[in-house]
Structures are given as structure tokens and as C-alpha cells.
Amino acid sequence: MSAGLVGSAAGGAGEAAGVGSSAGALLVVGDVITDIVARHRGPLAASTDTVAAIRTLPGGAGANVACWAAHWGGGEVRLLGRVGSDAAAWHERELAACGVRPLLVVDPEAPTGTVICLVDTSAAAERTLVTDSGASLRLTPDDWSDTLLDGVARLHLSGYLLFSAGSRAFVEVALEAARARGVPVSLDPASVGFLVELGVDRFLALVEGVDVLLPSLDEACLLTGLPDAEDAAAKLSRHVPLVITKLGADGALVARSGTVSARIPAVPATPTDTTGAGDAFTGAFLATFLTGAGPEDAAREGCRAGAKAVEAVGGRPPAIRPPGQHRRDTTPGGRG
């Protein structure tokens, strides 16, 4: 495996009350993306200018989950992803600054994936994504090594990995290795748009062996064909043993073996940017779950993290930077 390993950073900030170190590391595999976040007010003006506040930030569903998990818990968090040479060093620094141990494969051909996040500040800060996946979906089985599971207590996969042939093959190899080691696997479906293209039956076949699924409400409804959140969560939990459905401002549902066992209330928040809120939920859930907490308590921490995430711009928690280093010094190519 040709992954560039950047130093092992310390664990997270211990954000969740009562969360201690887990018995092993969390390995997240997923997308590492450069986010261009444009916050505008009201509809975009066709054929002319729309005033916006624009920032370039590190992102990617997989990378965001890893950063929130490190921020929320005390255990080691590792991230395997694929990036282009154009922004590899920047992403490595940003991940390490969030307490994540980066295991990045540098793609010799494709640039780092880029997402333009259009955030309408007058519409509950909802965002629309324009995506160029770039190198992020070019992981292949050659990028996997069974040694990646050494010391790992849980493997978490970003659903974006299912949306290209190479990374689907990677997922198959990783799942087989995890089963052989007895390492449990969780997955976040990631994108309604890509799920439509992939197909529901194909998705459900690909996630065979996953023990925890963390869909959004829209994803759960799409995957089951049911309009009701509780019905959809219950049905999904007949395919995957534990389903945590993220409901945004309505909290979350916990479903097991065909039954919804708990509805977790949301934590009140004033949205600034909803980018990465689901990733924050997933990261905090996994960090808490790894300590031995039950899924209900872990989902409560997920709701706390989601509320914190929507009150800030971008999909990451605050970074822990060395003295004298500021975000303006760590943008791709040194741009401020």
C-alpha cells in the first residue's frame, strides 16, 4: 500500500462528558475533499453576480467524521483516503491538527476532490453541493493492507466509496479483512443523489456484513421506499442489525432488529452552515460507542455534535494548532 503516513497525533479534545479512551483505534476510510463554501443570502441570481462570503476549507465526509471522532473522544483515530499531489500536504496538516492520524494515498494522476458548497443563509443555512470527486473515489484494493486493522476496534466506511467501481472493490476487500479479524464495521450512506444512481438493491447487497448503518432521513426513506422515518428505520434494521437515522432538527432514531427502540431529541442550535452536520453526528456517535456506551447514549452525543457543527462554517470541529500557526497559513498552495 502506497500511503504516506503523517505523524500520529494525540487523541481528541474529549468533548463528550464521560467519554474516555476506547480499547482500540477507529479506522475511517473515505473521502478527503477541498470544500469551497459560498454563503449567500436568498436565491442565486441567474446570469449575473450573487454576493457571497467564500472560504476554502478542508472537508470530505470521511475526513470530517474522523475529525469529529477525534475531537469528541479520547481514542486514536486514523483516516485512510486518496488525494492529489496538489493539496496532499495541506490536508495532512489539517487532519493532524484535528487529532487524526492521516494515512493518505497520493494519486499520481487525479487532483484532490473539490466540492462547492452553496449555503443559503436565509433558508435555515441549507446547503447545495456541486461535486468533483477527483482522487477521493480512486481507492483500489491495492491501497488496502490487512495491517491497517492492527490495533483497530472499529472500521468505518464512507458511503461515497460505493459510488465508483475501484473503491467498491476496495470496500469488498476491506469488509472481508474486517470479518476475518472480527472487527465491526459501520457505514454512512453519504448521498441521496449517488444512491439513486447506484440503486437500492445494489447498495443493500454491498453493505452485507455491516453492523451499524447511519443514514440521513432522506437516505433511509430512499433505501426503503417508505415515507415515514420510523417505518424506514425499522425496515432498514432488518438488513443491518443497528440503524441510527439522523433526522437533523428532529434528532435521531435508534432501530434494532426491525423495531425503533428510541427517539433521541435534537439539541437546539442556531444554524449558520449545515455542511458536515451529519458527519459530526457520526463522528461523535462512533467515538462514544467505542467507549462501550449504548447506542442511545452515543446518539445523544451525535445530536450534541450536530448542533455544534451547524453553528460554525465548514464541516470540521475547531483544529488544535501549534502556537503561531493560523488557518490562513495552511490553505492549499499557501493562499490566504
Side-chain angles (χ1 to χ4, degrees), residues 18-245:
V19 174
S21 296
S22 64
L26 171 66
L27 172 61
V28 179
V29 184
D31 45 319
V32 182
I33 296 288
T34 300
D35 283 346
I36 300 173
V37 181
R39 299 177 65 243
H40 59 93
R41 186 169 184 83
L44 294 173
S47 304
T48 186
D49 295 315
T50 298
V51 174
I54 300 175
R55 294 177 64 185
T56 300
L57 299 169
N64 292 345
V65 166
C67 288
W68 280 101
H71 183 73
W72 216 260
E76 182 186 359
V77 180
R78 309 170 190 172
L79 175 73
L80 174 63
R82 197 172 182 98
V83 295
S85 60
D86 56 318
W90 178 62
H91 279 292
E92 287 171 342
R93 288 195 301 268
E94 292 296 311
L95 289 163
C98 282
V100 174
R101 184 181 178 190
L103 306 165
L104 300 184
V105 180
V106 179
D107 194 294
E109 299 174 357
T112 303
T114 301
V115 171
I116 299 173
C117 309
L118 302 173
V119 182
D120 186 348
T121 61
S122 67
E126 285 298 331
R127 85 283 191 271
T128 299
L129 306 180
V130 182
T131 302
D132 178 353
S133 298
S136 68
L137 297 190
R138 287 166 58 93
L139 280 171
T140 72
D142 289 341
D143 296 319
W144 177 261
S145 167
D146 289 355
T147 60
L148 286 164
L149 293 176
D150 290 351
V152 168
R154 174 168 288 276
L155 170 64
H156 177 75
L157 302 173
S158 168
Y160 281 108
L161 295 170
L162 301 178
F163 304 135
S164 76
S167 54
R168 278 196 297 273
F170 173 96
V171 167
E172 183 177 353
V173 169
L175 282 173
E176 182 179 352
R179 279 194 293 268
R181 290 275 193 107
V183 175
V185 182
S186 53
L187 185 139
D188 188 324
S191 168
V192 166
F194 286 146
L195 280 174
V196 169
E197 294 182 23
L198 181 67
V200 169
D201 291 342
R202 194 176 186 190
F203 174 85
L204 293 175
L206 288 167
V207 300
E208 184 72 30
V210 167
D211 75 300
V212 181
L213 192 69
L214 295 114
S216 68
L217 172 59
D218 289 344
E219 291 158 2
C221 291
L222 173 66
L223 289 170
T224 60
L226 298 173
D228 179 78
E230 293 202 11
D231 290 345
K235 183 175 180 179
L236 267 182
S237 70
R238 298 186 190 105
H239 294 276
V240 178
L242 177 61
V243 174
I244 311 296
T245 304

